[in-house]
Amino acid sequence: MTHGAEPSRVVDRTLHALAEALGADGAALMLIDDHDRPRAVGGSDADGRRLELAQERTGSGPSIESLARDADVAVNDLYAERPSGFPGVAAQTRRVRAVLSVPLHADDRVIGSLDFYDRVSHEWQPATVRAGRRLAELMVMVLEALAHKSPFSGQS
Amino acid sequence: MTHIDQEALVASLRGLQMTVPATGIVHQLERAVEVVDTLFGYSGAGLMFAGEDGELRYLVATDDAGRSLEGAQLRVRRGPCVSTYENDAAVTSFDVRTDPRWPELAERLHPGVRAVAGVPVRLGGEPVGTLNVYQSTPYQWDDSDIRAMQAYAAVIEQILTAAMAAEEKSALADQLQYALDYRVVIERAIGYLMGKHDLTAAQAFTGLRKKARDSRRRVADLAAEVLADGAGEPG
């Protein structure tokens, strides 16, 4: 496998491009692993990675909720009290405020969720949420291509 | 340095590998352009690749008007998409029908093609094609339009890169070349199915693609079969 095609680099560059396409500060990824557990895969920057790790640790957050409900979850301010915010997650991520989490589907199955985030709180407009959903489809295409073209079968 | 947990990613890709059927790179690129077209909300979008002969040809185009961009530029060997590819840089035209850079294009283009923008699609840092969009009225493209297009082109590059991860570059090139070579047959079959079953082009193509996948055949082979069967029908 060439250096440029290393899965983590491909995912990193895709997250950067998707965040740029939506006009968000960053994008981050939570995926269901081969034991059906949500895993914090990472983000386009350190804040994104912290956001996913905080959700994996606490078992709560927009991404976890998006996975559980198979629906978009738009959080205007992570610091807001429940149910509109996730202060427990916010305390661990510090700089992330607004989060849009959209489920990722492959072959009619939820395989994870894609988070877009901004460092200032704001309302997510319906057009942005729709765009986020379509961008999630591009993320799935990249993941499918990686899954089928990479020799993971022998690893466990 | 990335902020990706390699172990978590690999464990998730293994899970995905077990459940999702493999699709070819051409099918993935078609889906990507469909998504990009919806996101842009412009009149049309397309993806051109340079074939073995170095000519830029459409691999995916959302409509016939957009396809006229290819034919016109192939004939005069110049135009916004050719410039995008050759200069490896974004090129825009407020109105390609009156653009002094390509005066010979106007009469060869579909009347619905006016404003055109293109950005390079790269692989390993080298341009391999272009992502193009057009508007049916003159339009002043701004920086945000181009930034968004470049971001989508970057995602397409990652789809290509991922497809190449374990596959020989030549095998990937073969798939793309096959699609370029057989596209005419596929388009003729789409036209035939549209007329016969009163379908839109998108419905005809989706049906053709699904049938090909279900029967594990290539779309071009099925398209040739559809045309042969059609030719044998009583007129």
Side-chain angles (χ1 to χ4, degrees):
Chain A
M1 196 178 293
T2 61
H3 186 63
E6 201 178 291
S8 58
R9 287 191 178 276
V10 171
V11 169
D12 174 65
R13 288 192 294 250
T14 305
L15 288 173
H16 276 99
L18 293 176
E20 172 75 26
L22 196 77
D25 288 339
L29 190 61
M30 179 83 75
L31 291 176
I32 305 291
D33 73 7
D34 53 348
H35 292 94
D36 281 333
R37 294 173 305 198
R39 298 288 298 272
V41 169
S44 54
D45 59 21
D47 289 338
R49 179 151 163 71
R50 268 197 290 271
L51 172 66
E52 299 310 296
L53 282 172
Q55 296 183 88
E56 185 189 288
R57 274 192 220 112
T58 60
S60 72
S63 201
I64 301 290
E65 204 161 290
S66 171
L67 283 172
R69 289 170 31 202
D70 187 9
D72 313 320
V73 175
V75 176
N76 299 340
D77 189 354
L78 212 52
Y79 280 84
E81 289 303 315
R82 295 286 294 143
S84 52
F86 293 90
V89 174
Q92 296 183 46
T93 56
R94 297 194 297 273
R95 301 200 322 151
V96 173
R97 300 299 293 256
V99 180
L100 169 65
S101 188
V102 288
L104 299 171
H105 295 105
D107 206 28
D108 296 331
R109 192 174 69 100
V110 179
I111 60 159
S113 63
L114 176 66
D115 285 347
F116 295 98
Y117 53 88
D118 285 316
R119 295 189 178 92
V120 291
S121 59
H122 66 84
E123 193 175 331
W124 294 94
Q125 298 302 316
T128 308
V129 174
R130 281 196 299 275
R133 270 186 226 134
R134 299 311 312 261
L135 291 172
E137 293 178 46
L138 294 178
M139 183 79 245
V140 171
M141 286 174 217
V142 172
L143 293 170
E144 284 179 346
L146 282 174
H148 285 291
K149 303 298 180 186
S150 304
F152 299 127
S153 310
Q155 303 174 25
S156 182
Chain B
M1 177 197 163
T2 71
H3 299 278
I4 304 297
D5 179 339
Q6 175 83 8
E7 195 275 321
L9 176 61
V10 168
S12 304
L13 291 176
R14 266 202 307 270
L16 191 56
Q17 199 171 34
M18 289 186 279
T19 55
V20 178
T23 56
I25 182 64
V26 176
H27 173 59
Q28 285 177 320
L29 293 174
E30 284 164 357
R31 283 169 61 204
V33 172
E34 282 169 20
V35 170
V36 168
D37 184 42
T38 313
L39 281 163
F40 280 131
Y42 299 141
S43 302
L47 188 60
M48 283 180 166
F49 274 88
E52 285 170 340
D53 52 8
E55 304 273 24
L56 268 189
R57 286 186 286 163
Y58 264 122
L59 185 73
V60 189
T62 52
D63 58 19
D64 285 337
R67 280 192 190 94
S68 72
L69 267 169
E70 177 201 64
Q73 292 179 99
L74 271 177
R75 232 167 251 126
V76 303
R77 296 180 180 278
R78 303 171 61 213
C81 309
V82 173
S83 293
T84 300
Y85 177 68
E86 289 181 348
N87 300 327
D88 189 17
V91 171
T92 61
S93 176
F94 171 73
D95 185 355
V96 75
R97 302 184 70 78
T98 59
D99 197 315
R101 290 173 290 182
W102 309 293
E104 61 276 61
L105 277 185
E107 64 186 41
R108 294 179 167 89
L109 283 173
H110 187 285
V113 177
R114 303 297 296 265
V116 176
V119 295
V121 173
R122 303 186 181 99
L123 193 54
E126 294 295 319
V128 292
T130 61
L131 175 65
N132 319 301
V133 294
Y134 80 91
Q135 293 273 55
S136 56
T137 54
Y139 177 74
Q140 194 67 56
W141 305 94
D142 63 26
D143 287 348
S144 68
D145 292 316
I146 300 307
R147 275 202 306 275
M149 285 185 71
Q150 286 169 331
Y152 299 132
V155 177
I156 288 170
E157 179 183 348
Q158 296 318 310
I159 293 173
L160 286 167
T161 304
M164 274 180 60
E167 193 162 15
E168 288 294 323
K169 190 174 180 180
S170 59
L172 186 73
D174 283 349
Q175 284 186 55
L176 294 173
Q177 187 65 42
Y178 174 85
L180 293 174
D181 291 344
Y182 288 90
R183 195 203 47 186
V184 173
V185 178
I186 295 168
E187 284 172 4
R188 282 179 55 209
I190 288 171
Y192 170 77
L193 292 170
M194 286 168 68
K196 187 176 180 189
H197 301 295
D198 195 23
L199 301 173
T200 64
Q203 288 168 331
F205 181 68
T206 303
L208 196 63
R209 191 170 61 194
K210 183 176 184 316
K211 195 170 176 186
R213 285 181 66 188
D214 290 349
S215 57
R216 295 181 178 278
R217 279 180 291 173
R218 294 192 292 190
V219 175
D221 293 342
L222 184 63
E225 199 176 292
V226 165
L227 289 172
D229 289 350
E233 288 176 0

